[in-house]
Amino acid sequence: MTLRVGIVSAAWGAFAHLPAWRAVPGVEVTAICTSREETARAAADRLSLPRAFWNAQDMCADPDINIVDLGTRPSVRLPMVLAALAHGKHVYNASPHAPDWAGAKAIDTAWRAGGSIGVVDAFSQWLPAHRQMKAMLDNAYVGKPLGGTCHFNISLFNSPIKQFPYNWFAQGGQGVSAVRNNGSHALYMLRHLLGPVAELVADDSQILREWHFPDGETITPDTTDFANVILGFESGLTMQMQISWSMALHDGWLIDVFGDKGRIAVSSPTFPTARDCTLRAGQLGGAMAEIAIPDAFKAAPGITLDWQSEPQPSFPMALSMQAMVDAIEGRGHAAPDFAEALEVERLQEAIRLSSARRCWIRLADVA
């Protein structure tokens, strides 16, 4: 059976999600949705898609669509996710998963009430270097993990331009911030690699008070852009995490873990991609050295993209989408699914509470 996909977003959805879906066997993208009829019809023509929608609720209700791929801002997306689930659609949802903790719980209730497969577009666990890191950790390469560092620092607004499509990140009430956006991707990976977090303490603040455009205009952002968190995992491991979208000369992506037998670190100069994400490791008595990535992680049977394909995000997305299709057809488990999304949102709420209260927060107390 062919699964038919409708995508909400003719920007990132068309650029990265569409080629990823088209690389997955047994899937056909049949529709695109934007907020206006003229842009929706133009996008459908440009992308060679048979159907155009300019009301996401209509797409969510359409009986000829099996999977709804939702890619707009969290505050706008929440009712779309709930509508799709109410109509029995499978949902591929952007990250952040929800605008806030209340929204995350509403999605969780709706998802658990039905039989839909829900997946979040936090695809980093499908990157070749991350898959190899996971395999090495599972094989006790570092021994018992004891500590580590995670950075995800980029420079989105230090030298802003008017044409950048995400300048709305300055607006409060949209469900975004550096720790909610960058941080959610880091938290999905850390839980995937290292397991559940038991407690944390956090400071979520704003360091770039104004965004200065070349023409002299400024924006005073309402959102936070710099978070420092100490994560205490249930395993006993302690990790420091720093997140920013306002770091001058940013240091990019890093997950560095050490244990009683060795150390392993994965890094990328910016948002991690299949091609630029590198892995280094070493054990006691030796030195850190680059680790070769197995060919098995650089391609997948049936997927018409590989780790070198453009646009770069599409290959790991396609692997996540393939796992979603397998789950829909009863052959496997989707990841990261909506159960995992709720736990990442719980972490986000714990960060918010800790920063506001200036204290440690136990995840078991976030309800």
Side-chain angles (χ1 to χ4, degrees), residues 248-324:
L249 304 177
H250 59 258
D251 59 5
W253 171 267
L254 170 71
I255 299 177
D256 191 337
V257 181
F258 68 87
D260 57 4
K261 293 182 180 179
R263 177 181 163 206
I264 186 166
V266 68
S267 61
S268 178
T270 182
F271 196 103
T273 70
R275 193 164 52 226
D276 68 18
C277 202
T278 59
L279 186 65
R280 300 176 70 247
Q283 293 181 308
L284 290 176
M288 294 288 283
E290 187 164 344
I291 301 297
I293 308 301
D295 289 341
F297 292 157
K298 295 179 177 179
I303 301 294
T304 59
L305 299 171
D306 64 21
W307 72 297
Q308 295 278 29
S309 297
E310 295 291 349
Q312 266 290 291
S314 293
F315 172 61
M317 281 183 191
L319 297 182
S320 179
M321 292 165 177
Q322 177 65 74
M324 181 180 188

Side-chain angles (χ1 to χ4, degrees), residues 93-363:
N93 192 31
S95 184
H97 179 59
D100 52 26
W101 180 231
K105 290 190 289 185
I107 293 173
D108 188 67
T109 298
W111 172 64
R112 293 183 188 277
S116 299
I117 300 298
V119 173
V120 180
D121 187 35
F123 53 81
S124 290
Q125 71 184 68
W126 297 98
L127 293 170
H130 290 160
R131 296 176 72 187
Q132 178 63 12
M133 185 179 192
K134 173 66 171 169
M136 293 173 71
L137 287 169
D138 288 349
N139 288 327
Y141 180 91
V142 304
K144 177 178 172 57
L146 301 173
T149 300
C150 174
H151 287 177
F152 191 9
N153 295 316
I154 54 179
S155 308
L156 289 185
F157 306 109
N158 300 78
S159 300
I161 59 172
K162 292 288 185 67
Q163 295 79 16
F164 187 52
Y166 297 101
N167 288 331
W168 61 268
F169 279 11
Q171 300 171 16
Q174 302 299 316
V176 300
S177 68
V179 74
R180 286 197 56 74
N181 289 60
N182 300 20
S184 64
H185 288 279
L187 290 168
Y188 278 107
M189 270 307 305
L190 293 178
R191 278 183 51 91
H192 175 65
L193 293 172
L194 303 168
V197 174
E199 59 181 350
L200 62 78
V201 64
D203 177 66
D204 185 19
S205 60
Q206 186 189 75
I207 55 173
L208 198 62
R209 306 291 183 180
E210 289 186 330
W211 301 353
H212 295 274
F213 293 90
D215 64 1
E217 184 179 341
T218 63
I219 289 178
T220 301
D222 297 322
T223 47
T224 55
D225 60 4
F226 183 59
N228 288 281
V229 186
I230 298 175
L231 300 163
F233 289 80
E234 290 183 4
S235 66
L237 176 148
T238 300
M239 174 169 283
Q240 57 184 355
M241 181 178 79
Q242 184 179 93
I243 305 294
S244 181
W245 64 32
S246 298
M247 182 182 191
L249 304 177
H250 59 258
D251 59 5
W253 171 267
L254 170 71
I255 299 177
D256 191 337
V257 181
F258 68 87
D260 57 4
K261 293 182 180 179
R263 177 181 163 206
I264 186 166
V266 68
S267 61
S268 178
T270 182
F271 196 103
T273 70
R275 193 164 52 226
D276 68 18
C277 202
T278 59
L279 186 65
R280 300 176 70 247
Q283 293 181 308
L284 290 176
M288 294 288 283
E290 187 164 344
I291 301 297
I293 308 301
D295 289 341
F297 292 157
K298 295 179 177 179
I303 301 294
T304 59
L305 299 171
D306 64 21
W307 72 297
Q308 295 278 29
S309 297
E310 295 291 349
Q312 266 290 291
S314 293
F315 172 61
M317 281 183 191
L319 297 182
S320 179
M321 292 165 177
Q322 177 65 74
M324 181 180 188
V325 169
D326 288 346
I328 291 169
E329 296 179 347
R331 298 194 302 266
H333 177 72
D337 68 5
F338 278 14
E340 182 67 12
L342 183 73
E343 296 313 311
V344 170
E345 288 291 336
R346 193 186 309 275
L347 283 163
Q348 293 281 356
E349 177 66 0
I351 290 170
R352 186 190 70 81
L353 291 171
S354 177
S355 188
R357 298 176 184 175
R358 318 306 293 170
C359 67
W360 283 84
I361 298 292
R362 295 176 64 251
L363 271 295

